[in-house]
PDB file of all heavy atoms in Angstrom:
ATOM      1  N   ASN A   1      -3.838  -6.992   5.604  1.00 97.00           N
ATOM      2  CA  ASN A   1      -2.626  -7.503   6.099  1.00 97.00           C
ATOM      3  C   ASN A   1      -1.410  -6.644   5.628  1.00 97.00           C
ATOM      4  O   ASN A   1      -1.401  -6.192   4.505  1.00 97.00           O
ATOM      5  CB  ASN A   1      -2.319  -9.034   5.756  1.00 97.00           C
ATOM      6  CG  ASN A   1      -2.137  -9.304   4.306  1.00 97.00           C
ATOM      7  OD1 ASN A   1      -1.046  -9.359   3.827  1.00 97.00           O
ATOM      8  ND2 ASN A   1      -3.275  -9.493   3.643  1.00 97.00           N
ATOM      9  N   TYR A   2      -0.352  -6.610   6.414  1.00 98.00           N
ATOM     10  CA  TYR A   2       0.813  -5.715   6.195  1.00 98.00           C
ATOM     11  C   TYR A   2       2.062  -6.505   6.506  1.00 98.00           C
ATOM     12  O   TYR A   2       2.060  -7.385   7.316  1.00 98.00           O
ATOM     13  CB  TYR A   2       0.794  -4.517   7.062  1.00 98.00           C
ATOM     14  CG  TYR A   2      -0.429  -3.585   6.850  1.00 98.00           C
ATOM     15  CD1 TYR A   2      -1.661  -3.815   7.498  1.00 98.00           C
ATOM     16  CD2 TYR A   2      -0.438  -2.656   5.875  1.00 98.00           C
ATOM     17  CE1 TYR A   2      -2.755  -3.016   7.264  1.00 98.00           C
ATOM     18  CE2 TYR A   2      -1.444  -1.727   5.683  1.00 98.00           C
ATOM     19  CZ  TYR A   2      -2.601  -1.892   6.384  1.00 98.00           C
ATOM     20  OH  TYR A   2      -3.676  -1.113   6.210  1.00 98.00           O
ATOM     21  N   ALA A   3       3.082  -6.103   5.799  1.00 98.00           N
ATOM     22  CA  ALA A   3       4.451  -6.589   6.169  1.00 98.00           C
ATOM     23  C   ALA A   3       4.804  -5.970   7.480  1.00 98.00           C
ATOM     24  O   ALA A   3       4.430  -4.816   7.790  1.00 98.00           O
ATOM     25  CB  ALA A   3       5.423  -6.137   5.072  1.00 98.00           C
ATOM     26  N   ASP A   4       5.594  -6.726   8.247  1.00 97.00           N
ATOM     27  CA  ASP A   4       5.934  -6.186   9.554  1.00 97.00           C
ATOM     28  C   ASP A   4       6.667  -4.850   9.530  1.00 97.00           C
ATOM     29  O   ASP A   4       6.514  -4.000  10.457  1.00 97.00           O
ATOM     30  CB  ASP A   4       6.750  -7.266  10.368  1.00 97.00           C
ATOM     31  CG  ASP A   4       6.014  -8.496  10.723  1.00 97.00           C
ATOM     32  OD1 ASP A   4       4.800  -8.402  10.864  1.00 97.00           O
ATOM     33  OD2 ASP A   4       6.610  -9.518  11.057  1.00 97.00           O
ATOM     34  N   SER A   5       7.454  -4.674   8.455  1.00 97.00           N
ATOM     35  CA  SER A   5       8.331  -3.477   8.380  1.00 97.00           C
ATOM     36  C   SER A   5       7.462  -2.187   8.161  1.00 97.00           C
ATOM     37  O   SER A   5       8.009  -1.108   8.387  1.00 97.00           O
ATOM     38  CB  SER A   5       9.279  -3.700   7.229  1.00 97.00           C
ATOM     39  OG  SER A   5       8.636  -3.780   6.056  1.00 97.00           O
ATOM     40  N   VAL A   6       6.206  -2.379   7.823  1.00 98.00           N
ATOM     41  CA  VAL A   6       5.400  -1.144   7.499  1.00 98.00           C
ATOM     42  C   VAL A   6       4.194  -0.980   8.443  1.00 98.00           C
ATOM     43  O   VAL A   6       3.483  -0.051   8.344  1.00 98.00           O
ATOM     44  CB  VAL A   6       4.983  -1.069   6.058  1.00 98.00           C
ATOM     45  CG1 VAL A   6       6.154  -1.256   5.049  1.00 98.00           C
ATOM     46  CG2 VAL A   6       3.813  -2.210   5.724  1.00 98.00           C
ATOM     47  N   LYS A   7       3.974  -1.970   9.362  1.00 98.00           N
ATOM     48  CA  LYS A   7       2.828  -1.861  10.165  1.00 98.00           C
ATOM     49  C   LYS A   7       2.940  -0.592  11.095  1.00 98.00           C
ATOM     50  O   LYS A   7       3.996  -0.276  11.599  1.00 98.00           O
ATOM     51  CB  LYS A   7       2.723  -3.089  11.080  1.00 98.00           C
ATOM     52  CG  LYS A   7       2.341  -4.396  10.422  1.00 98.00           C
ATOM     53  CD  LYS A   7       2.269  -5.594  11.397  1.00 98.00           C
ATOM     54  CE  LYS A   7       1.844  -6.866  10.628  1.00 98.00           C
ATOM     55  NZ  LYS A   7       1.724  -7.996  11.581  1.00 98.00           N
ATOM     56  N   GLY A   8       1.835   0.138  11.139  1.00 98.00           N
ATOM     57  CA  GLY A   8       1.802   1.342  11.902  1.00 98.00           C
ATOM     58  C   GLY A   8       2.101   2.592  11.064  1.00 98.00           C
ATOM     59  O   GLY A   8       1.860   3.655  11.631  1.00 98.00           O
ATOM     60  N   ARG A   9       2.699   2.337   9.891  1.00 98.00           N
ATOM     61  CA  ARG A   9       3.110   3.493   9.096  1.00 98.00           C
ATOM     62  C   ARG A   9       2.356   3.534   7.816  1.00 98.00           C
ATOM     63  O   ARG A   9       2.065   4.679   7.326  1.00 98.00           O
ATOM     64  CB  ARG A   9       4.664   3.402   8.832  1.00 98.00           C
ATOM     65  CG  ARG A   9       5.486   3.455   9.991  1.00 98.00           C
ATOM     66  CD  ARG A   9       6.989   3.587   9.648  1.00 98.00           C
ATOM     67  NE  ARG A   9       7.482   2.440   8.835  1.00 98.00           N
ATOM     68  CZ  ARG A   9       7.934   2.382   7.552  1.00 98.00           C
ATOM     69  NH1 ARG A   9       8.063   3.642   6.998  1.00 98.00           N
ATOM     70  NH2 ARG A   9       8.342   1.264   7.047  1.00 98.00           N
ATOM     71  N   PHE A  10       2.018   2.412   7.240  1.00 98.00           N
ATOM     72  CA  PHE A  10       1.309   2.345   5.981  1.00 98.00           C
ATOM     73  C   PHE A  10      -0.163   1.970   6.158  1.00 98.00           C
ATOM     74  O   PHE A  10      -0.457   1.126   7.081  1.00 98.00           O
ATOM     75  CB  PHE A  10       1.910   1.361   5.004  1.00 98.00           C
ATOM     76  CG  PHE A  10       3.307   1.766   4.497  1.00 98.00           C
ATOM     77  CD1 PHE A  10       3.993   2.896   4.880  1.00 98.00           C
ATOM     78  CD2 PHE A  10       3.904   1.053   3.428  1.00 98.00           C
ATOM     79  CE1 PHE A  10       5.271   3.227   4.499  1.00 98.00           C
ATOM     80  CE2 PHE A  10       5.145   1.405   2.929  1.00 98.00           C
ATOM     81  CZ  PHE A  10       5.778   2.477   3.463  1.00 98.00           C
ATOM     82  N   THR A  11      -1.103   2.406   5.349  1.00 98.00           N
ATOM     83  CA  THR A  11      -2.478   2.045   5.432  1.00 98.00           C
ATOM     84  C   THR A  11      -2.966   1.749   4.008  1.00 98.00           C
ATOM     85  O   THR A  11      -2.890   2.659   3.170  1.00 98.00           O
ATOM     86  CB  THR A  11      -3.308   3.117   6.061  1.00 98.00           C
ATOM     87  OG1 THR A  11      -2.872   3.388   7.424  1.00 98.00           O
ATOM     88  CG2 THR A  11      -4.794   2.662   6.177  1.00 98.00           C
ATOM     89  N   ILE A  12      -3.606   0.563   3.852  1.00 98.00           N
ATOM     90  CA  ILE A  12      -4.225   0.262   2.493  1.00 98.00           C
ATOM     91  C   ILE A  12      -5.696   0.510   2.565  1.00 98.00           C
ATOM     92  O   ILE A  12      -6.324   0.191   3.592  1.00 98.00           O
ATOM     93  CB  ILE A  12      -3.814  -1.097   2.071  1.00 98.00           C
ATOM     94  CG1 ILE A  12      -4.315  -1.343   0.618  1.00 98.00           C
ATOM     95  CG2 ILE A  12      -4.422  -2.161   2.971  1.00 98.00           C
ATOM     96  CD1 ILE A  12      -3.789  -2.693   0.028  1.00 98.00           C
ATOM     97  N   SER A  13      -6.298   1.004   1.440  1.00 97.00           N
ATOM     98  CA  SER A  13      -7.772   1.204   1.470  1.00 97.00           C
ATOM     99  C   SER A  13      -8.216   1.183   0.011  1.00 97.00           C
ATOM    100  O   SER A  13      -7.404   1.112  -0.882  1.00 97.00           O
ATOM    101  CB  SER A  13      -8.095   2.574   2.059  1.00 97.00           C
ATOM    102  OG  SER A  13      -7.565   3.692   1.410  1.00 97.00           O
ATOM    103  N   THR A  14      -9.509   1.047  -0.159  1.00 96.00           N
ATOM    104  CA  THR A  14     -10.086   0.994  -1.545  1.00 96.00           C
ATOM    105  C   THR A  14     -11.256   1.892  -1.608  1.00 96.00           C
ATOM    106  O   THR A  14     -11.997   2.304  -0.638  1.00 96.00           O
ATOM    107  CB  THR A  14     -10.554  -0.488  -1.903  1.00 96.00           C
ATOM    108  OG1 THR A  14     -11.500  -0.931  -0.936  1.00 96.00           O
ATOM    109  CG2 THR A  14      -9.326  -1.424  -1.836  1.00 96.00           C
ATOM    110  N   ASP A  15     -11.511   2.238  -2.927  1.00 94.00           N
ATOM    111  CA  ASP A  15     -12.721   2.877  -3.323  1.00 94.00           C
ATOM    112  C   ASP A  15     -13.277   1.940  -4.301  1.00 94.00           C
ATOM    113  O   ASP A  15     -12.979   1.892  -5.523  1.00 94.00           O
ATOM    114  CB  ASP A  15     -12.469   4.280  -4.018  1.00 94.00           C
ATOM    115  CG  ASP A  15     -13.762   4.944  -4.393  1.00 94.00           C
ATOM    116  OD1 ASP A  15     -14.768   4.357  -4.560  1.00 94.00           O
ATOM    117  OD2 ASP A  15     -13.749   6.221  -4.533  1.00 94.00           O
ATOM    118  N   ASN A  16     -14.227   1.093  -3.890  1.00 89.00           N
ATOM    119  CA  ASN A  16     -14.729  -0.003  -4.717  1.00 89.00           C
ATOM    120  C   ASN A  16     -15.514   0.546  -5.933  1.00 89.00           C
ATOM    121  O   ASN A  16     -15.491  -0.125  -6.994  1.00 89.00           O
ATOM    122  CB  ASN A  16     -15.675  -0.912  -3.921  1.00 89.00           C
ATOM    123  CG  ASN A  16     -14.911  -1.674  -2.912  1.00 89.00           C
ATOM    124  OD1 ASN A  16     -13.697  -2.037  -3.046  1.00 89.00           O
ATOM    125  ND2 ASN A  16     -15.538  -2.002  -1.757  1.00 89.00           N
ATOM    126  N   ALA A  17     -16.210   1.620  -5.752  1.00 90.00           N
ATOM    127  CA  ALA A  17     -16.926   2.224  -6.915  1.00 90.00           C
ATOM    128  C   ALA A  17     -15.985   2.605  -8.098  1.00 90.00           C
ATOM    129  O   ALA A  17     -16.467   2.641  -9.225  1.00 90.00           O
ATOM    130  CB  ALA A  17     -17.745   3.440  -6.450  1.00 90.00           C
ATOM    131  N   LYS A  18     -14.717   2.912  -7.720  1.00 93.00           N
ATOM    132  CA  LYS A  18     -13.752   3.410  -8.749  1.00 93.00           C
ATOM    133  C   LYS A  18     -12.715   2.274  -9.117  1.00 93.00           C
ATOM    134  O   LYS A  18     -11.894   2.536  -9.836  1.00 93.00           O
ATOM    135  CB  LYS A  18     -13.093   4.678  -8.273  1.00 93.00           C
ATOM    136  CG  LYS A  18     -13.999   5.865  -8.104  1.00 93.00           C
ATOM    137  CD  LYS A  18     -13.174   6.998  -7.728  1.00 93.00           C
ATOM    138  CE  LYS A  18     -14.040   8.282  -7.573  1.00 93.00           C
ATOM    139  NZ  LYS A  18     -13.273   9.463  -7.199  1.00 93.00           N
ATOM    140  N   ASN A  19     -12.938   1.144  -8.488  1.00 95.00           N
ATOM    141  CA  ASN A  19     -11.915   0.034  -8.741  1.00 95.00           C
ATOM    142  C   ASN A  19     -10.595   0.516  -8.403  1.00 95.00           C
ATOM    143  O   ASN A  19      -9.621   0.239  -9.230  1.00 95.00           O
ATOM    144  CB  ASN A  19     -12.128  -0.546  -9.961  1.00 95.00           C
ATOM    145  CG  ASN A  19     -13.275  -1.229 -10.230  1.00 95.00           C
ATOM    146  OD1 ASN A  19     -13.884  -1.992  -9.384  1.00 95.00           O
ATOM    147  ND2 ASN A  19     -13.997  -1.228 -11.479  1.00 95.00           N
ATOM    148  N   THR A  20     -10.431   1.231  -7.298  1.00 97.00           N
ATOM    149  CA  THR A  20      -9.094   1.870  -7.079  1.00 97.00           C
ATOM    150  C   THR A  20      -8.661   1.461  -5.563  1.00 97.00           C
ATOM    151  O   THR A  20      -9.415   1.451  -4.696  1.00 97.00           O
ATOM    152  CB  THR A  20      -9.228   3.362  -7.118  1.00 97.00           C
ATOM    153  OG1 THR A  20      -9.548   3.803  -8.445  1.00 97.00           O
ATOM    154  CG2 THR A  20      -7.919   4.101  -6.715  1.00 97.00           C
ATOM    155  N   VAL A  21      -7.300   1.234  -5.540  1.00 97.00           N
ATOM    156  CA  VAL A  21      -6.759   0.931  -4.169  1.00 97.00           C
ATOM    157  C   VAL A  21      -5.648   1.944  -3.939  1.00 97.00           C
ATOM    158  O   VAL A  21      -4.969   2.466  -4.869  1.00 97.00           O
ATOM    159  CB  VAL A  21      -6.120  -0.526  -4.216  1.00 97.00           C
ATOM    160  CG1 VAL A  21      -5.053  -0.631  -5.164  1.00 97.00           C
ATOM    161  CG2 VAL A  21      -5.585  -0.939  -2.806  1.00 97.00           C
ATOM    162  N   TYR A  22      -5.549   2.335  -2.740  1.00 98.00           N
ATOM    163  CA  TYR A  22      -4.574   3.336  -2.266  1.00 98.00           C
ATOM    164  C   TYR A  22      -3.663   2.816  -1.219  1.00 98.00           C
ATOM    165  O   TYR A  22      -3.952   1.771  -0.483  1.00 98.00           O
ATOM    166  CB  TYR A  22      -5.338   4.498  -1.603  1.00 98.00           C
ATOM    167  CG  TYR A  22      -6.406   5.168  -2.496  1.00 98.00           C
ATOM    168  CD1 TYR A  22      -7.720   4.714  -2.294  1.00 98.00           C
ATOM    169  CD2 TYR A  22      -6.080   6.170  -3.363  1.00 98.00           C
ATOM    170  CE1 TYR A  22      -8.691   5.299  -3.144  1.00 98.00           C
ATOM    171  CE2 TYR A  22      -7.088   6.685  -4.166  1.00 98.00           C
ATOM    172  CZ  TYR A  22      -8.398   6.207  -4.016  1.00 98.00           C
ATOM    173  OH  TYR A  22      -9.325   6.781  -4.892  1.00 98.00           O
ATOM    174  N   LEU A  23      -2.464   3.338  -1.185  1.00 98.00           N
ATOM    175  CA  LEU A  23      -1.477   3.019  -0.190  1.00 98.00           C
ATOM    176  C   LEU A  23      -0.955   4.398   0.471  1.00 98.00           C
ATOM    177  O   LEU A  23      -0.213   5.041  -0.187  1.00 98.00           O
ATOM    178  CB  LEU A  23      -0.295   2.210  -0.662  1.00 98.00           C
ATOM    179  CG  LEU A  23       0.689   1.728   0.463  1.00 98.00           C
ATOM    180  CD1 LEU A  23       0.000   0.752   1.353  1.00 98.00           C
ATOM    181  CD2 LEU A  23       1.843   1.110  -0.152  1.00 98.00           C
ATOM    182  N   GLN A  24      -1.434   4.678   1.710  1.00 98.00           N
ATOM    183  CA  GLN A  24      -1.006   5.796   2.390  1.00 98.00           C
ATOM    184  C   GLN A  24       0.278   5.502   3.147  1.00 98.00           C
ATOM    185  O   GLN A  24       0.228   4.564   3.994  1.00 98.00           O
ATOM    186  CB  GLN A  24      -2.048   6.340   3.438  1.00 98.00           C
ATOM    187  CG  GLN A  24      -1.651   7.596   4.157  1.00 98.00           C
ATOM    188  CD  GLN A  24      -1.484   8.787   3.296  1.00 98.00           C
ATOM    189  OE1 GLN A  24      -2.323   9.067   2.411  1.00 98.00           O
ATOM    190  NE2 GLN A  24      -0.330   9.484   3.516  1.00 98.00           N
ATOM    191  N   MET A  25       1.354   6.124   2.867  1.00 98.00           N
ATOM    192  CA  MET A  25       2.631   5.831   3.478  1.00 98.00           C
ATOM    193  C   MET A  25       3.068   7.005   4.223  1.00 98.00           C
ATOM    194  O   MET A  25       3.434   8.098   3.733  1.00 98.00           O
ATOM    195  CB  MET A  25       3.678   5.521   2.278  1.00 98.00           C
ATOM    196  CG  MET A  25       3.295   4.375   1.466  1.00 98.00           C
ATOM    197  SD  MET A  25       4.498   3.975   0.151  1.00 98.00           S
ATOM    198  CE  MET A  25       4.348   5.539  -0.910  1.00 98.00           C
ATOM    199  N   ASN A  26       3.095   6.894   5.541  1.00 98.00           N
ATOM    200  CA  ASN A  26       3.632   7.929   6.502  1.00 98.00           C
ATOM    201  C   ASN A  26       4.915   7.466   7.036  1.00 98.00           C
ATOM    202  O   ASN A  26       5.277   6.361   7.190  1.00 98.00           O
ATOM    203  CB  ASN A  26       2.513   8.126   7.577  1.00 98.00           C
ATOM    204  CG  ASN A  26       1.185   8.579   7.058  1.00 98.00           C
ATOM    205  OD1 ASN A  26       1.124   9.322   6.103  1.00 98.00           O
ATOM    206  ND2 ASN A  26       0.135   8.159   7.743  1.00 98.00           N
ATOM    207  N   ASN A  27       5.589   8.521   7.659  1.00 98.00           N
ATOM    208  CA  ASN A  27       6.835   8.270   8.232  1.00 98.00           C
ATOM    209  C   ASN A  27       7.847   7.364   7.413  1.00 98.00           C
ATOM    210  O   ASN A  27       8.395   6.427   7.816  1.00 98.00           O
ATOM    211  CB  ASN A  27       6.714   7.657   9.664  1.00 98.00           C
ATOM    212  CG  ASN A  27       7.895   7.625  10.554  1.00 98.00           C
ATOM    213  OD1 ASN A  27       8.864   8.475  10.344  1.00 98.00           O
ATOM    214  ND2 ASN A  27       8.038   6.673  11.488  1.00 98.00           N
ATOM    215  N   LEU A  28       7.857   7.827   6.128  1.00 98.00           N
ATOM    216  CA  LEU A  28       8.728   7.035   5.271  1.00 98.00           C
ATOM    217  C   LEU A  28      10.281   7.047   5.688  1.00 98.00           C
ATOM    218  O   LEU A  28      10.754   8.067   6.258  1.00 98.00           O
ATOM    219  CB  LEU A  28       8.713   7.609   3.855  1.00 98.00           C
ATOM    220  CG  LEU A  28       7.374   7.231   3.169  1.00 98.00           C
ATOM    221  CD1 LEU A  28       7.168   8.230   1.910  1.00 98.00           C
ATOM    222  CD2 LEU A  28       7.429   5.817   2.507  1.00 98.00           C
ATOM    223  N   LYS A  29      10.972   5.966   5.462  1.00 98.00           N
ATOM    224  CA  LYS A  29      12.242   5.686   5.801  1.00 98.00           C
ATOM    225  C   LYS A  29      13.111   5.330   4.536  1.00 98.00           C
ATOM    226  O   LYS A  29      12.577   4.892   3.495  1.00 98.00           O
ATOM    227  CB  LYS A  29      12.366   4.465   6.748  1.00 98.00           C
ATOM    228  CG  LYS A  29      11.596   4.642   8.040  1.00 98.00           C
ATOM    229  CD  LYS A  29      11.751   3.374   8.826  1.00 98.00           C
ATOM    230  CE  LYS A  29      10.882   3.488  10.219  1.00 98.00           C
ATOM    231  NZ  LYS A  29      11.032   2.250  10.991  1.00 98.00           N
ATOM    232  N   PRO A  30      14.343   5.625   4.549  1.00 97.00           N
ATOM    233  CA  PRO A  30      15.146   5.350   3.344  1.00 97.00           C
ATOM    234  C   PRO A  30      15.044   3.877   2.957  1.00 97.00           C
ATOM    235  O   PRO A  30      15.122   3.657   1.718  1.00 97.00           O
ATOM    236  CB  PRO A  30      16.609   5.679   3.877  1.00 97.00           C
ATOM    237  CG  PRO A  30      16.409   6.725   4.941  1.00 97.00           C
ATOM    238  CD  PRO A  30      15.065   6.335   5.570  1.00 97.00           C
ATOM    239  N   GLU A  31      14.937   2.986   3.838  1.00 95.00           N
ATOM    240  CA  GLU A  31      14.758   1.601   3.461  1.00 95.00           C
ATOM    241  C   GLU A  31      13.398   1.257   2.717  1.00 95.00           C
ATOM    242  O   GLU A  31      13.304   0.220   2.118  1.00 95.00           O
ATOM    243  CB  GLU A  31      14.940   0.703   4.707  1.00 95.00           C
ATOM    244  CG  GLU A  31      14.129   1.006   5.883  1.00 95.00           C
ATOM    245  CD  GLU A  31      14.849   1.867   6.859  1.00 95.00           C
ATOM    246  OE1 GLU A  31      15.567   2.738   6.483  1.00 95.00           O
ATOM    247  OE2 GLU A  31      14.725   1.577   8.112  1.00 95.00           O
ATOM    248  N   ASP A  32      12.489   2.214   2.662  1.00 97.00           N
ATOM    249  CA  ASP A  32      11.304   2.127   1.935  1.00 97.00           C
ATOM    250  C   ASP A  32      11.471   2.312   0.389  1.00 97.00           C
ATOM    251  O   ASP A  32      10.621   2.085  -0.390  1.00 97.00           O
ATOM    252  CB  ASP A  32      10.150   3.009   2.393  1.00 97.00           C
ATOM    253  CG  ASP A  32       9.710   2.602   3.870  1.00 97.00           C
ATOM    254  OD1 ASP A  32       9.654   1.343   4.193  1.00 97.00           O
ATOM    255  OD2 ASP A  32       9.504   3.527   4.618  1.00 97.00           O
ATOM    256  N   THR A  33      12.673   2.904   0.065  1.00 96.00           N
ATOM    257  CA  THR A  33      12.897   3.354  -1.262  1.00 96.00           C
ATOM    258  C   THR A  33      13.061   2.160  -2.211  1.00 96.00           C
ATOM    259  O   THR A  33      13.865   1.320  -1.999  1.00 96.00           O
ATOM    260  CB  THR A  33      14.220   4.111  -1.274  1.00 96.00           C
ATOM    261  OG1 THR A  33      14.052   5.317  -0.458  1.00 96.00           O
ATOM    262  CG2 THR A  33      14.583   4.528  -2.770  1.00 96.00           C
ATOM    263  N   THR A  34      12.219   2.157  -3.173  1.00 97.00           N
ATOM    264  CA  THR A  34      12.202   1.122  -4.282  1.00 97.00           C
ATOM    265  C   THR A  34      10.976   1.347  -5.155  1.00 97.00           C
ATOM    266  O   THR A  34      10.272   2.358  -4.997  1.00 97.00           O
ATOM    267  CB  THR A  34      12.160  -0.296  -3.678  1.00 97.00           C
ATOM    268  OG1 THR A  34      12.360  -1.217  -4.752  1.00 97.00           O
ATOM    269  CG2 THR A  34      10.827  -0.636  -3.010  1.00 97.00           C
ATOM    270  N   VAL A  35      10.685   0.423  -6.051  1.00 96.00           N
ATOM    271  CA  VAL A  35       9.557   0.538  -6.909  1.00 96.00           C
ATOM    272  C   VAL A  35       8.427  -0.273  -6.276  1.00 96.00           C
ATOM    273  O   VAL A  35       8.654  -1.435  -5.879  1.00 96.00           O
ATOM    274  CB  VAL A  35       9.821   0.014  -8.312  1.00 96.00           C
ATOM    275  CG1 VAL A  35       8.657   0.070  -9.175  1.00 96.00           C
ATOM    276  CG2 VAL A  35      10.977   0.873  -8.962  1.00 96.00           C
ATOM    277  N   TYR A  36       7.150   0.309  -6.308  1.00 97.00           N
ATOM    278  CA  TYR A  36       6.067  -0.321  -5.774  1.00 97.00           C
ATOM    279  C   TYR A  36       5.127  -0.718  -6.882  1.00 97.00           C
ATOM    280  O   TYR A  36       4.816   0.018  -7.799  1.00 97.00           O
ATOM    281  CB  TYR A  36       5.355   0.596  -4.786  1.00 97.00           C
ATOM    282  CG  TYR A  36       6.074   0.751  -3.491  1.00 97.00           C
ATOM    283  CD1 TYR A  36       7.289   1.420  -3.439  1.00 97.00           C
ATOM    284  CD2 TYR A  36       5.549   0.193  -2.304  1.00 97.00           C
ATOM    285  CE1 TYR A  36       8.014   1.569  -2.179  1.00 97.00           C
ATOM    286  CE2 TYR A  36       6.326   0.229  -1.058  1.00 97.00           C
ATOM    287  CZ  TYR A  36       7.427   1.013  -1.046  1.00 97.00           C
ATOM    288  OH  TYR A  36       8.072   1.117   0.047  1.00 97.00           O
ATOM    289  N   TYR A  37       4.605  -1.992  -6.849  1.00 98.00           N
ATOM    290  CA  TYR A  37       3.728  -2.547  -7.798  1.00 98.00           C
ATOM    291  C   TYR A  37       2.395  -2.877  -7.361  1.00 98.00           C
ATOM    292  O   TYR A  37       2.206  -3.504  -6.205  1.00 98.00           O
ATOM    293  CB  TYR A  37       4.339  -3.776  -8.481  1.00 98.00           C
ATOM    294  CG  TYR A  37       5.602  -3.520  -9.191  1.00 98.00           C
ATOM    295  CD1 TYR A  37       6.861  -3.598  -8.556  1.00 98.00           C
ATOM    296  CD2 TYR A  37       5.578  -3.200 -10.570  1.00 98.00           C
ATOM    297  CE1 TYR A  37       8.016  -3.427  -9.207  1.00 98.00           C
ATOM    298  CE2 TYR A  37       6.828  -2.961 -11.275  1.00 98.00           C
ATOM    299  CZ  TYR A  37       7.983  -3.123 -10.608  1.00 98.00           C
ATOM    300  OH  TYR A  37       9.178  -2.758 -11.298  1.00 98.00           O
ATOM    301  N   CYS A  38       1.297  -2.454  -7.960  1.00 98.00           N
ATOM    302  CA  CYS A  38      -0.009  -2.813  -7.627  1.00 98.00           C
ATOM    303  C   CYS A  38      -0.378  -4.084  -8.302  1.00 98.00           C
ATOM    304  O   CYS A  38      -0.077  -4.405  -9.441  1.00 98.00           O
ATOM    305  CB  CYS A  38      -0.965  -1.681  -8.125  1.00 98.00           C
ATOM    306  SG  CYS A  38      -2.713  -1.958  -7.813  1.00 98.00           S
ATOM    307  N   ASN A  39      -1.162  -4.863  -7.578  1.00 98.00           N
ATOM    308  CA  ASN A  39      -1.746  -6.171  -8.101  1.00 98.00           C
ATOM    309  C   ASN A  39      -3.224  -6.343  -7.759  1.00 98.00           C
ATOM    310  O   ASN A  39      -3.654  -5.830  -6.728  1.00 98.00           O
ATOM    311  CB  ASN A  39      -0.948  -7.296  -7.386  1.00 98.00           C
ATOM    312  CG  ASN A  39      -1.503  -8.657  -7.785  1.00 98.00           C
ATOM    313  OD1 ASN A  39      -2.369  -9.228  -7.068  1.00 98.00           O
ATOM    314  ND2 ASN A  39      -1.018  -9.232  -8.869  1.00 98.00           N
ATOM    315  N   ALA A  40      -3.987  -6.899  -8.648  1.00 97.00           N
ATOM    316  CA  ALA A  40      -5.346  -7.144  -8.472  1.00 97.00           C
ATOM    317  C   ALA A  40      -5.738  -8.436  -8.982  1.00 97.00           C
ATOM    318  O   ALA A  40      -5.255  -8.966 -10.069  1.00 97.00           O
ATOM    319  CB  ALA A  40      -6.216  -6.015  -9.220  1.00 97.00           C
ATOM    320  N   ASP A  41      -6.571  -9.153  -8.237  1.00 97.00           N
ATOM    321  CA  ASP A  41      -7.152 -10.450  -8.615  1.00 97.00           C
ATOM    322  C   ASP A  41      -8.597 -10.114  -9.043  1.00 97.00           C
ATOM    323  O   ASP A  41      -9.485  -9.838  -8.324  1.00 97.00           O
ATOM    324  CB  ASP A  41      -7.166 -11.406  -7.422  1.00 97.00           C
ATOM    325  CG  ASP A  41      -7.688 -12.729  -7.674  1.00 97.00           C
ATOM    326  OD1 ASP A  41      -7.841 -13.137  -8.926  1.00 97.00           O
ATOM    327  OD2 ASP A  41      -8.139 -13.437  -6.751  1.00 97.00           O
ATOM    328  N   VAL A  42      -8.775 -10.192 -10.384  1.00 96.00           N
ATOM    329  CA  VAL A  42      -9.930  -9.688 -11.061  1.00 96.00           C
ATOM    330  C   VAL A  42     -10.865 -10.770 -11.594  1.00 96.00           C
ATOM    331  O   VAL A  42     -10.210 -11.726 -12.333  1.00 96.00           O
ATOM    332  CB  VAL A  42      -9.555  -8.710 -12.194  1.00 96.00           C
ATOM    333  CG1 VAL A  42     -10.806  -8.166 -12.919  1.00 96.00           C
ATOM    334  CG2 VAL A  42      -8.772  -7.611 -11.698  1.00 96.00           C
ATOM    335  N   ARG A  43     -12.070 -10.654 -11.382  1.00 95.00           N
ATOM    336  CA  ARG A  43     -12.983 -11.614 -12.011  1.00 95.00           C
ATOM    337  C   ARG A  43     -13.599 -10.954 -13.134  1.00 95.00           C
ATOM    338  O   ARG A  43     -14.165  -9.850 -13.172  1.00 95.00           O
ATOM    339  CB  ARG A  43     -14.219 -12.032 -10.992  1.00 95.00           C
ATOM    340  CG  ARG A  43     -15.090 -13.102 -11.599  1.00 95.00           C
ATOM    341  CD  ARG A  43     -16.270 -13.354 -10.663  1.00 95.00           C
ATOM    342  NE  ARG A  43     -17.069 -14.515 -11.022  1.00 95.00           N
ATOM    343  CZ  ARG A  43     -18.281 -14.781 -10.587  1.00 95.00           C
ATOM    344  NH1 ARG A  43     -18.805 -13.942  -9.786  1.00 95.00           N
ATOM    345  NH2 ARG A  43     -18.940 -15.809 -11.094  1.00 95.00           N
TER     346      ARG A  43
END
């Protein structure tokens, strides 16, 4: 799921073997400027 403001521009994906998540950000806009934080719900 995505925020409406980034739909069509950002793509989230995972490499489960590496416990890694990615955020591909294309067509970045000035309003995207800020700090981004990763979150994980871990068992």
Side-chain angles (χ1 to χ4, degrees):
N1 64 91
Y2 298 90
D4 288 341
S5 60
V6 307
K7 286 181 179 178
R9 299 189 296 120
F10 291 9
T11 302
I12 189 170
S13 62
T14 59
D15 183 340
N16 291 329
K18 297 182 178 180
N19 291 324
T20 298
V21 64
Y22 306 94
L23 186 66
Q24 179 67 46
M25 302 181 291
N26 297 328
N27 191 24
L28 282 160
K29 302 177 180 180
E31 49 263 46
D32 296 319
T33 296
T34 189
V35 178
Y36 287 70
Y37 296 91
C38 176
N39 174 268
D41 182 17
V42 178
R43 188 187 185 195

